[in-house]
Amino acid sequence: EIQCPSCRTDLDSVTDIQGDHTPKKGDFSLCIKCGQLLKFTVDLTLKKIDDSEFRQFDEDIKQKIMEYQVAIKGLHEDEVT
């Protein structure tokens, strides 16, 4: 089990939206709680993506990431923190 480095939520599973895929170093993910864009490290922990890494994505990928982030935040908008 790993934690989101942004919100510290325990993340106990990974879902691949494009099929069966086991995460590996360099793969990206989004925290299901806070929507933070994350990257798997060599030991499969997660690190936050900085702005310079995000800017390297193609525009269509950045747009899709932001759409997912909005959807994730919508899932939790009624929760009390």
Side-chain angles (χ1 to χ4, degrees), residues 14-78:
V14 177
T15 302
D16 177 16
I17 61 171
Q18 297 178 338
D20 289 333
H21 178 77
T22 302
K24 64 182 182 308
K25 176 188 170 198
D27 283 349
F28 295 95
S29 187
L30 291 170
C31 174
I32 193 62
K33 180 71 175 181
C34 71
Q36 174 69 49
L37 181 59
L38 306 165
K39 186 176 186 178
F40 283 93
T41 63
V42 68
D43 61 355
L44 296 183
T45 57
L46 293 167
K47 71 170 198 153
K48 294 181 193 179
I49 297 301
D50 62 35
D51 289 339
S52 65
E53 285 181 281
F54 184 74
R55 286 192 298 270
Q56 293 177 18
F57 288 114
D58 291 336
E59 288 302 315
D60 59 328
I61 299 296
K62 288 191 271 192
Q63 182 63 37
K64 189 55 77 176
I65 290 168
M66 290 186 287
E67 289 172 11
Y68 286 132
Q69 288 173 320
V70 168
I72 288 168
K73 289 176 191 211
L75 292 172
H76 305 290
E77 63 188 13
D78 293 333

